[in-house]
Amino acid sequence: MRVAIAGAGLAGLSCAKYLTDNGYTPIVLESRDVLGGLVAAWKDEDGDWYETGLHVFFGAYPNMLQLFKELGIEDRLQWKQHTMIFNQPEKPGTYSRFDFPNLPAPFNGIAAILRNNDMLSWGEKIELAKGLVPAMLRGQKYVDSTDRFTFSEWLKQQGVGDDVEQGIFIAAAKSLNFIDPDEISALVLLTALNKFLQQKNGSQVAFLDGSPTERLCQPMVDHITARGGEVKTNAPLKEILLNEDGSVKGFLIRGLDGKSDELVTADLYVSAMPVDVMKVMLPQKWKQNEFFQKLDGLEGVPVINIHLWFDRKLTDIDNLLFSRSKLLSVYADMSNTCKEYANPDRSMLELVFAPAKDWINKSEEEILKATLVELETLFPQHFGGENPAKLLKHHVVKTPHSVYTATPGCQKYRPTQVTPISNFYLAGSYTMQPFLGSMEGAVLSGKLTAQAINAQAHLEAKTSSKPTQTLQPATNAATA
């Protein structure tokens, strides 16, 4: 059975991978000349990589980790010390750490909080416990119900003060969805905190040993093509063509460089495009359907990723850092954290500029200038005096519509992978799955789409009493 998939990001490639495992023949169609979608990366003229975002892998990503294992590339994940490191703006150039000891969860997380005396007073630790412990004990059903509130509103309901929100949760909110606690749904933070605190290594992070395009996406492509599938870049979807009954007739691919358009036909079709692109490509006939109308409630959040190469080492920290800056979210010195980007003498900082809605349309020069001002607080010893650090080069990558903006009430707009169209499915982290807008969510969504296709094939085979392939359904590794 042939399945056409629009989009070669993690969702599309994951869907294709699990389909090929079960005997299907997918063809993945990517509009750009690079794999990865929201994890895409490029090489500049010097041979240095720059990426769409700062991509880290958490211990609480079971489906992603299972994918690495199935592809035989587990050794490409470089696991870091289990700690969370925050800059202290009130003490420029210093850090505060939450070190997780080798204890079962949630005791390792509790110990990490109790042993931190830089950011949290004992009174604030008690406030934090009053808020988080009940959420952990009440379970996911309670967490799901908090989508009515922003995280700021939820904290106030629990009696957690502004100092705790300012100290920890602004940084956490921006790292998860690139917006502040007074905008983000409480569901997002509480879901993450539950997974991080209830799994021993849930919040431990790993970095890839190179670019996501080469070190993760390419092995997925190799896996797919080795089993008879295809992956085509420079194949932008121009139109979803329909039959008279509203089902998909084919994907019309726009011809590039003077070539004619191409009609790609298959037995089944999948959109693994971002929700904003899917809304644009939606056929007119489908726009009257309530299922697709709900997509209007979802919109990608703007994100800016910044890469800065300096003439010296600014830090030797080999981990993810939370800046606690008004303009910056998380950052890392990739010359320390990533094997391929390693440099013992010079730093390459990769920083997430967030929230970015007021900056996405500004010039690179304005963004760069604002970022360097923030670095004066993060690294005062290198940007003052007679010999300040020299910026050698930079790259600014703007993504006007990244993962869906997880504001309160968005859950009701997230679609299932199965649509009302008999031969059309959706994949993407915006579709309904428990890991929200994340790399894990993207991989799981593709897996669930493959599972849905699989299940429908079994159902049709049973109904028609015709023989079909023996297929093993995909599962959510978190519940398998």
Side-chain angles (χ1 to χ4, degrees):
M1 186 179 290
R2 180 174 163 93
V3 183
I5 302 171
L10 291 179
L13 293 175
S14 169
C15 181
K17 185 267 183 195
Y18 287 104
L19 287 173
T20 58
D21 286 349
N22 290 323
Y24 293 92
T25 305
I27 176 171
V28 183
L29 305 162
E30 169 56 42
S31 64
R32 300 190 293 181
D33 62 355
V34 62
L35 302 168
L38 295 179
V39 301
W42 302 265
K43 263 188 178 180
D44 65 15
E45 61 276 10
D46 301 320
D48 293 320
W49 287 96
Y50 59 102
E51 306 179 14
T52 312
L54 177 55
H55 302 109
V56 297
F57 301 79
F58 287 99
Y61 279 4
N63 295 283
M64 179 68 82
L65 299 185
Q66 181 175 308
L67 175 64
F68 270 83
K69 183 176 181 179
E70 290 169 356
L71 294 173
I73 57 172
E74 290 175 285
D75 60 342
R76 298 185 182 186
L77 287 173
Q78 298 178 278
W79 290 99
K80 308 305 178 184
Q81 181 183 352
H82 194 180
T83 185
M84 301 179 74
I85 307 173
F86 292 77
N87 281 97
Q88 300 192 89
E90 67 281 5
K91 299 177 183 177
T94 64
Y95 305 92
S96 181
R97 301 171 63 102
F98 291 82
D99 293 319
F100 288 70
N102 186 24
L103 296 173
F107 302 108
N108 60 343
I110 294 171
I113 293 170
L114 292 179
R115 295 195 302 186
N116 180 287
N117 296 311
D118 300 316
M119 289 176 59
L120 296 174
S121 67
W122 276 101
E124 290 167 340
K125 291 173 185 177
I126 293 171
E127 282 184 18
L128 185 60
K130 285 194 302 184
L132 296 183
V133 171
M136 290 175 59
L137 295 177
R138 294 179 189 177
Q140 192 62 40
K141 186 175 181 180
Y142 167 76
V143 170
D144 290 342
S145 73
T146 64
D147 191 44
R148 297 170 291 163
F149 311 109
T150 67
F151 192 64
S152 292
E153 291 170 340
W154 184 85
L155 285 174
K156 288 179 173 59
Q157 291 174 9
Q158 312 311 308
V160 179
D162 290 341
D163 288 344
V164 174
E165 178 180 333
Q166 295 287 328
I168 296 177
F169 291 117
I170 287 181
K174 293 201 295 185
S175 69
L176 290 170
N177 196 240
F178 315 114
I179 54 179
D180 287 323
D182 60 358
E183 294 182 85
I184 197 170
S185 169
L187 167 73
V188 177
L189 269 295
L190 293 177
T191 296
L193 289 168
N194 265 348
K195 294 184 184 303
F196 289 166
L197 292 175
Q198 293 183 4
Q199 299 177 38
K200 179 180 178 180
N201 298 315
S203 60
Q204 187 176 8
V205 301
F207 286 74
L208 264 180
D209 61 0
S211 79
T213 299
E214 280 196 344
R215 305 299 286 169
L216 173 56
C217 296
Q218 189 57 51
M220 296 172 75
V221 171
D222 294 341
H223 183 98
I224 293 162
T225 55
R227 288 158 180 78
E230 295 179 75
V231 179
K232 293 185 176 182
T233 55
N234 293 311
L237 181 62
K238 181 179 181 179
E239 186 179 356
I240 301 173
L241 301 179
L242 303 184
N243 296 306
E244 288 187 9
D245 64 358
S247 62
V248 180
K249 180 180 180 180
F251 282 167
L252 185 62
I253 304 303
R254 187 185 306 277
L256 301 179
D257 301 323
K259 295 181 180 178
S260 301
D261 294 346
E262 177 188 358
L263 178 62
V264 174
T265 59
D267 300 292
L268 300 173
Y269 300 84
V270 176
S271 167
M273 301 178 290
V275 66
D276 298 276
V277 179
M278 180 59 211
K279 289 190 291 184
V280 172
M281 299 304 304
L282 203 63
Q284 188 64 37
K285 191 171 184 177
W286 293 358
K287 292 182 179 179
Q288 311 307 313
N289 191 301
E290 183 182 0
F291 178 91
F292 293 109
Q293 287 176 346
K294 287 185 177 181
L295 297 181
D296 289 335
L298 300 174
E299 183 178 358
V301 63
V303 179
I304 301 172
N305 203 49
I306 303 167
H307 305 73
L308 305 174
W309 283 261
F310 289 96
D311 66 344
R312 69 191 65 176
K313 274 291 189 184
L314 302 185
T315 177
D316 59 359
I317 295 177
D318 178 13
N319 215 313
L320 183 70
L321 296 114
F322 295 82
S323 72
R324 296 178 68 200
S325 155
K326 290 182 179 180
L327 296 181
L328 303 176
S329 173
V330 289
Y331 70 99
D333 188 334
M334 300 297 283
S335 71
N336 299 327
T337 61
C338 176
K339 181 179 178 181
E340 186 173 351
Y341 305 167
N343 190 322
D345 303 314
R346 295 176 175 177
S347 284
M348 190 280 266
L349 297 186
E350 188 170 343
L351 311 101
V352 179
F353 197 104
K357 62 182 178 181
D358 295 329
W359 289 83
I360 196 71
N361 293 320
K362 294 191 177 185
S363 68
E364 285 193 13
E365 290 72 22
E366 291 175 288
I367 295 168
L368 180 61
K369 182 178 179 180
T371 301
L372 291 175
V373 170
E374 294 298 307
L375 292 188
E376 292 178 10
T377 299
L378 299 181
F379 304 103
Q381 67 275 32
H382 293 293
F383 290 93
E386 298 179 356
N387 185 30
K390 181 180 179 181
L391 180 65
L392 300 177
K393 70 174 182 178
H394 72 278
H395 288 290
V396 176
V397 181
K398 296 181 179 181
T399 305
H401 299 283
S402 182
V403 296
Y404 75 94
T405 309
T407 50
C410 274
Q411 284 292 94
K412 62 179 176 286
Y413 301 119
R414 297 177 66 201
T416 56
Q417 289 79 31
V418 178
T419 79
I421 309 304
S422 61
N423 64 344
F424 183 75
Y425 297 79
L426 297 175
S429 64
Y430 71 92
T431 62
M432 189 58 74
Q433 41 75 30
F435 288 90
L436 309 169
S438 64
M439 292 190 294
E440 171 73 4
V443 167
L444 176 56
S445 75
K447 190 186 236 186
L448 292 175
T449 304
Q451 178 181 7
I453 290 172
N454 212 4
Q456 184 62 29
H458 275 294
L459 180 62
E460 291 178 358
K462 185 176 181 181
T463 302
S464 64
S465 298
K466 292 179 180 180
T468 187
Q469 305 131 295
T470 301
L471 306 175
Q472 298 299 318
T475 58
N476 176 356
T479 58

